[in-house]
Amino acid sequence: CAVCLGRHSHAIGECTATRTWNKAHQTLSKRENRQLWTYDGRQLCCEWQKHSGCRSSQHNERHICSGCGQATHGAANCPRAE
């Protein structure tokens, strides 16, 4: 899940968690209208959050991890992920 970084069964497109799967960190993103946003209003690339990443270079500013905020990986490859 790009919001809570959990791999447990839940509606990942509608996750409303405010803490990561293990309660260790506050979440950095939220879902609105099935899109992914940071709490400060920046839209994130949903494809970037997957293991395969995103091949587009047309929106690199959206290529940050929804779990920790780093640009080196997406949520699926985040060290904070379950």
Side-chain angles (χ1 to χ4, degrees):
C1 176
V3 175
C4 71
L5 304 178
R7 292 194 169 104
H8 56 282
S9 180
H10 67 292
I12 61 173
E14 301 169 5
C15 184
T16 59
T18 58
R19 307 278 310 167
T20 55
W21 65 277
N22 60 357
K23 310 281 189 258
H25 306 278
Q26 287 186 305
T27 57
L28 299 179
S29 61
K30 59 184 175 178
R31 291 280 186 179
E32 285 185 10
N33 299 319
R34 305 203 46 93
Q35 297 295 317
L36 195 58
W37 297 84
T38 62
Y39 286 116
D40 63 2
R42 294 177 290 152
Q43 187 175 10
L44 302 177
C45 175
C46 291
E47 289 298 311
W48 180 253
Q49 308 311 319
K50 298 178 181 180
H51 282 287
S52 57
C54 176
R55 295 177 185 245
S56 175
S57 60
Q58 302 214 352
H59 55 256
N60 285 337
E61 71 281 358
R62 295 183 187 178
H63 288 173
I64 63 170
C65 178
S66 61
C68 71
Q70 292 188 14
T72 57
H73 58 266
N77 298 311
C78 184
R80 294 182 180 181
E82 183 175 18

